[in-house]
Amino acid sequence: MRRMDIRSIEWKNDSIRIIDQTKLPAKLEYLDIKDIKTLWQAIKVLKVRGAPALGAAAALGVYLGIKDVRAPDFAGFNVQLGKVIDYLGSSRPTARNLFWGLERMRFVALKNKSRPIVAIKKLLFVEAQSIIEEDRVACRKIGEYGSRLIAKKDTILTVCNAGILATIDYGTALGVIYRAQEKGKDVKVYACETRPLLQGARLTVWELMKNGVDVTLNCDNMAATLMAQGKIDKVIAGADRIAANGDTANKIGTYSLAVLAQHHKIPFYIAAPASTFDLKIRTGKDIPIEQRKAEEVTELFFKDRMSHKDIKVFNPAFDVTPHNLITAIISDKGVIRPSYLKNIKKVIC
Amino acid sequence: MRRMDIRSIEWKNDSIRIIDQTKLPAKLEYLDIKDIKTLWQAIKVLKVRGAPALGAAAALGVYLGIKDVRAPDFAGFNVQLGKVIDYLGSSRPTARNLFWGLERMRFVALKNKSRPIVAIKKLLFVEAQSIIEEDRVACRKIGEYGSRLIAKKDTILTVCNAGILATIDYGTALGVIYRAQEKGKDVKVYACETRPLLQGARLTVWELMKNGVDVTLNCDNMAATLMAQGKIDKVIAGADRIAANGDTANKIGTYSLAVLAQHHKIPFYIAAPASTFDLKIRTGKDIPIEQRKAEEVTELFFKDRMSHKDIKVFNPAFDVTPHNLITAIISDKGVIRPSYLKNIKKVIC
């Protein structure tokens, strides 16, 4: 089957074009974002989401935020640039790629501060496009490296959406699956629905079906039973931030799958590009975890009440999987195995 | 706080009065069921649910089904009785109490077969009322035994609804919590929402809040994080069927919590009356597990589409927790600890 040709995010018509992921699977709708407030909001409510896609959104967002700035000199321009970067950085705290994208843009501006503002703007645009192109390539490399770990007829459990929609166009965890499929490995997938926002049920199922991958949906609390019944050969998840020791923040529920995989002696893999690693952070304890609104849990998309209106709700968006539960991390630089503290540096740097 | 005075099921106005649990938490609405087809349907769609409540529903259902039967002799009556029992038994396969209730009713009829039909009918009514009263007492005993395992200021994680709504009026797992609260132990509860039908979010949260218990709602995939953060002292779940070796079928997601509890060294308890034990079944492998409709997962209450309409869905209603993951079973006959094969017989029989 020919791969679905969509891009989750790109620069088009002087604006950032994204797929509005809150509309899927009901409809594939694009949004042209023309200002950074709209972008900030789109990131906050997960119209655009997924760590690598957020790296691209951040970079394009910086360009969007400064392209019309008028400043007499670099100092003045840099103040505006700093404001844009700080503002976009305040949208969501966990995904490393968002900050990595912002930092790369800041670095390019500073490196070229002696050039005319108009030239700096052009270089920032080029940098954002590079980030996008690099992610495209990185996902294909992750897919290739990861696919070598997949056996013929493997059934793979995944969580949230680490696919086309979370990256530019191929995916990290799902990139591994796509590549294995391209190689004729005939893989099957179970997709955890991923409460509360159902990225698995809405997004992963949608893109895997579109690409002809055999996928079955399960509620998150059914994963253990699938494993106990011998239905799962491997678990592969994406990542939002990976600490120097391999501890990995990813969508809430990932840690649970890692514990369950260990109990059932099933390999548990993380798939992520180098841009998701945060080597300044020693362990998962230091990764900031976003807490989100109670209404995400008590109302389905803020519409249908599913619980008492005054109930207290525990709703972290992410959890941290300790490195000792991770069989290997599949990066675009190669497959990293324990000891992570040593091998992440060796492979990524 | 005074305990909420409600009964989930009772005989009233020549019909079976139940709380329509599909309407909660939006409204507390009673249904008067006057024929067994309506009862069968109510059981099937979980208007009445919870293993002990299903035992009561089955017993009252048998009386409802035979009270107007006219038969020339016991043989004729017994044919009709058998049809009613088989029909009600076909509603849901997993909860032991349903079949236990039906068998008790059949036994009373057979034991009294030499009496006039009208007397047998009366005895069947009395038996159904006994089942209800015994469950009321059993839940209070479970509460008392279980409460002795609870320390002051314990935080307890539970799944699905094993409370007032799942029994006659006190609960099994939640009975333990109510009794601990009555004893001034100041317990807190985390309630897993329990996908797909959200019995935790809808029912457990509702009844705990009504009874003044400090409760916080979490998605099922967040339980591991709660445990890792040291927020959970004990896990208590109900049961639908317990095999002779202690393997326990309960709402899907229970097994997952048991594995996670073991990993985090947290005690994991099952609370259930003697009527939930099925000593003819050796291990959990022989417990029939109900598979339910895909639409329970892909549509919220068959209304809002949450995934692709053609997606394959894995949707078992229950899972089996192996006995080696269960710290103790809290029954109305006392707390049962391993080895279960020996001790269940000793305590229950």
Side-chain angles (χ1 to χ4, degrees), chain A residues 177-211:
Chain A
I177 289 162
Y178 290 137
R179 186 66 189 128
Q181 185 200 33
E182 285 162 9
K183 288 177 165 179
K185 291 199 175 182
D186 195 19
V187 293
K188 286 191 172 59
V189 176
Y190 277 91
C192 290
E193 64 174 0
T194 317
R195 282 282 292 153
L197 294 179
L198 301 167
Q199 291 91 338
R202 296 187 301 106
L203 309 178
T204 293
V205 158
W206 179 80
E207 67 165 89
L208 288 179
M209 287 179 88
K210 286 261 182 205
N211 284 301

Side-chain angles (χ1 to χ4, degrees), chain A residues 71 73-80 117:
Chain A
D73 53 15
F74 181 78
F77 176 78
N78 197 35
V79 168
Q80 296 301 313
I117 304 294

Side-chain angles (χ1 to χ4, degrees), chain A residues 193 195 198 201-202 214-215 217 220-222 225 255 264 303-304 306-307 311-312 314-315 319, chain B residues 193 195 198 201-202 214-217 220-222 225 255 264 303-304 306-307 311-312 314-315 319:
Chain A
E193 64 174 0
R195 282 282 292 153
L198 301 167
R202 296 187 301 106
D214 183 332
V215 54
L217 176 65
D220 304 310
N221 58 8
M222 296 168 187
T225 297
Y255 168 56
H264 294 91
K303 226 173 54 182
D304 285 298
M306 288 150 75
S307 189
I311 183 67
K312 289 187 289 185
F314 180 70
N315 186 21
D319 57 26
Chain B
E193 64 174 1
R195 282 282 292 154
L198 300 167
R202 296 187 302 106
D214 183 331
V215 55
T216 303
L217 176 64
D220 304 309
N221 56 9
M222 296 167 186
T225 296
Y255 167 57
H264 296 92
K303 227 173 53 182
D304 284 299
M306 288 149 76
S307 189
I311 183 68
K312 289 187 288 186
F314 180 70
N315 186 21
D319 57 27

Side-chain angles (χ1 to χ4, degrees), chain A residues 49-346:
Chain A
R49 46 147 296 283
L54 289 179
L60 290 174
V62 169
Y63 179 69
L64 183 69
I66 58 83
K67 75 181 172 66
D68 300 323
V69 158
R70 290 168 181 275
D73 53 15
F74 181 78
F77 176 78
N78 197 35
V79 168
Q80 296 301 313
L81 178 72
K83 280 186 186 167
V84 169
I85 287 173
D86 289 350
Y87 176 66
L88 291 173
S90 71
S91 58
R92 298 191 72 197
T94 304
R96 168 63 190 149
N97 309 59
L98 182 86
F99 303 96
W100 168 86
L102 296 173
E103 286 160 23
R104 274 190 54 168
M105 296 296 274
R106 193 199 303 271
F107 182 78
V108 162
L110 289 175
K111 203 176 67 175
N112 295 284
K113 64 180 174 181
S114 55
R115 300 197 186 204
I117 304 294
V118 61
I120 295 174
K121 286 181 178 176
K122 264 189 195 154
L123 288 166
L124 285 171
F125 180 73
V126 169
E127 184 69 3
Q129 293 294 4
S130 297
I131 284 174
I132 288 178
E133 181 56 20
E134 286 170 30
D135 184 70
R136 228 183 49 76
V137 173
C139 283
R140 275 165 176 74
K141 285 189 179 164
I142 290 168
E144 177 53 34
Y145 287 125
S147 67
R148 299 177 194 166
L149 302 172
I150 306 303
K152 268 204 170 183
K153 298 195 178 298
D154 263 358
T155 298
I156 296 161
L157 180 73
T158 191
V159 57
C160 195
N161 172 268
I164 294 168
L165 295 164
T167 58
I168 300 306
D169 72 350
Y170 198 71
T172 52
L174 299 194
V176 172
I177 289 162
Y178 290 137
R179 186 66 189 128
Q181 185 200 33
E182 285 162 9
K183 288 177 165 179
K185 291 199 175 182
D186 195 19
V187 293
K188 286 191 172 59
V189 176
Y190 277 91
C192 290
E193 64 174 0
T194 317
R195 282 282 292 153
L197 294 179
L198 301 167
Q199 291 91 338
R202 296 187 301 106
L203 309 178
T204 293
V205 158
W206 179 80
E207 67 165 89
L208 288 179
M209 287 179 88
K210 286 261 182 205
N211 284 301
V213 178
D214 183 332
V215 54
T216 303
L217 176 65
N218 60 275
C219 295
D220 304 310
N221 58 8
M222 296 168 187
T225 297
L226 285 170
M227 293 183 190
Q229 292 180 354
K231 290 198 166 97
I232 306 298
D233 298 303
K234 268 134 205 167
V235 180
I236 313 182
D240 284 81
R241 192 183 296 228
I242 303 174
N245 72 342
D247 289 357
T248 296
N250 189 45
K251 179 56 52 199
I252 189 76
T254 306
Y255 168 56
S256 183
L257 295 180
V259 173
L260 296 170
Q262 186 188 55
H263 181 83
H264 294 91
K265 300 184 173 48
I266 295 169
F268 177 90
Y269 298 107
I270 291 292
S275 49
T276 303
F277 290 75
D278 188 356
L279 302 188
K280 283 184 305 237
I281 280 190
R282 264 174 43 79
T283 79
K285 281 199 187 105
D286 300 322
I287 300 176
I289 298 294
E290 180 182 13
Q291 303 292 323
R292 294 182 60 92
K293 281 188 183 184
E295 288 76 9
E296 286 184 352
V297 176
T298 59
E299 301 169 14
L300 186 69
F301 298 110
F302 311 103
K303 226 173 54 182
D304 285 298
R305 177 156 299 283
M306 288 150 75
S307 189
H308 198 289
K309 75 177 170 49
D310 298 322
I311 183 67
K312 289 187 289 185
V313 175
F314 180 70
N315 186 21
F318 305 95
D319 57 26
V320 174
T321 298
H323 58 89
N324 62 310
L325 295 176
I326 300 170
T327 309
I329 302 175
I330 306 160
S331 83
D332 52 316
K333 315 279 190 189
V335 174
I336 311 169
R337 294 192 180 267
S339 138
Y340 291 116
L341 198 56
K342 193 179 68 187
N343 292 338
I344 285 176
K345 271 196 205 119
K346 206 191 286 178

